Amino acid sequence: MSIDPLSDEKIIESWRTNAAPWTDAVRESRIESRKLVTNKAIVDAVLSRSPVTMLDIGCGEGWLVRALAEHGVEGIGVDVVPELIEDAQRAGGGDFRIASYESIAAGELHVTVEVAVANFSLIGKESVSALVCRMPEMLATRGAFIVQTLHPIAACGDLPYEDGWRTGSWAGFSEAFSDPAPWYFRTMESWLQLFRDNGLSISEIREPINPVTGKPSSVIFITESDC
Ligand SMILES: C[S@@+](CC[C@H](N)C(=O)[O-])C[C@H]1O[C@@H](n2cnc3c(N)ncnc32)[C@H](O)[C@@H]1O
């Protein structure tokens, strides 16, 4: 049976296909907005909580775990793509494991951390809702779940400002990339609702601005468990 092109399953297939060029693009600092704005923004957001332990969800090749290790943070990185986890393990700096959001939601990852972070990795629909539902149980007392994602206003484009699947694109990336992952667009209101519905209250919202365009490069939600 073929995979629905607008589905959580397709996202995983696409990231498996693009693991090697993704590792190269990240490690060669080829993504301008990351270099200019969003890498520092997420490192600062995590460090603002002064954690000792951290879980990087959808860690890719592991750059964020390595960056935070330089500040003394003990990181665990998880991702569904084995090739990315192997790249991360080779580079070191943390404990890297293969895990899907679906398996984490099912309670198969037994860790408790002071900060859980998802950097541009909450892409899908059902897999993301299920993962967010699980988050409060994985946070230590006064722990935080921090999400950096595309800013809904900036990323909406010409389509209606409403939740829904969007087709992906590798525009601006090298020709080594193919078969872009679809993504599930959420409005600002819908992101806030997703956290609230799952026992997470918003402690802070940051909108890192790109100094060249003057527009937000992303939005960062810093959330805390209600209990
Ligand atoms: C845009 S990359 C971001 C990687 C990393 N957080 C970073 O900042 O470079 C999105 C990542 O989310 C992961 N991902 C997407 N859906 C997933 C799922 N259902 N379970 C686990 N990882 C997933 C992909 O494999 C990919 O590594």
Side-chain angles (χ1 to χ4, degrees):
M1 219 174 70
S2 65
I3 296 181
D4 180 347
L6 297 176
S7 65
D8 290 85
E9 204 184 347
K10 179 66 194 176
I11 293 172
I12 295 176
E13 185 192 64
S14 170
W15 278 100
R16 280 181 192 270
T17 307
N18 290 287
W22 178 256
T23 295
D24 291 345
V26 172
R27 295 192 178 170
E28 290 163 20
S29 299
R30 284 202 237 120
I31 309 168
E32 201 59 22
S33 57
R34 290 187 159 222
K35 208 165 45 179
L36 266 181
V37 190
T38 63
N39 281 0
K40 181 173 185 312
I42 194 67
V43 168
D44 288 350
V46 173
L47 292 179
S48 74
R49 306 291 304 198
S50 308
V52 173
T53 54
M54 186 274 294
L55 172 66
D56 185 2
I57 299 170
C59 65
E61 54 67 59
W63 78 270
L64 183 56
V65 169
R66 291 193 298 281
L68 290 163
E70 288 175 16
H71 296 269
V73 183
E74 289 167 24
I76 302 168
V78 293
D79 201 285
V80 70
V81 176
E83 198 177 331
L84 289 171
I85 289 297
E86 284 157 22
D87 288 342
Q89 287 167 338
R90 271 192 291 270
D95 170 4
F96 294 100
R97 311 179 193 175
I98 298 169
S100 68
Y101 302 161
E102 292 79 354
S103 70
I104 297 172
E108 288 167 23
L109 182 67
H110 300 280
V111 300
T112 306
V113 288
E114 287 157 345
V115 167
V117 59
N119 190 51
F120 295 111
S121 53
L122 300 191
I123 304 169
K125 187 182 180 194
E126 290 91 357
S127 66
V128 170
S129 310
L131 176 82
V132 174
C133 178
R134 179 77 189 166
M135 285 325 300
E137 290 165 75
M138 300 179 74
L139 297 178
T141 311
R142 284 184 293 282
F145 177 41
I146 303 179
V147 174
Q148 176 159 241
T149 188
L150 296 176
H151 194 294
I153 304 289
C156 183
D158 294 332
L159 291 171
Y161 188 70
E162 61 189 27
D163 286 11
W165 281 101
R166 306 267 177 113
T167 52
S169 159
W170 286 119
F173 286 79
S174 83
E175 284 174 6
F177 286 89
S178 62
D179 195 21
W183 57 291
Y184 190 76
F185 177 83
R186 286 181 163 84
T187 64
M188 189 65 88
E189 188 179 324
S190 169
W191 275 112
L192 300 182
Q193 191 73 41
L194 177 66
F195 296 126
R196 245 184 266 127
D197 286 352
N198 290 293
L200 294 160
S201 46
I202 305 285
S203 139
E204 213 183 312
I205 294 179
R206 300 184 180 186
E207 294 174 294
I209 304 294
N210 182 315
V212 178
T213 63
K215 306 272 189 234
S217 284
S218 65
V219 59
I220 296 179
F221 302 103
I222 303 183
T223 73
E224 289 172 356
S225 172
D226 290 339
C227 13

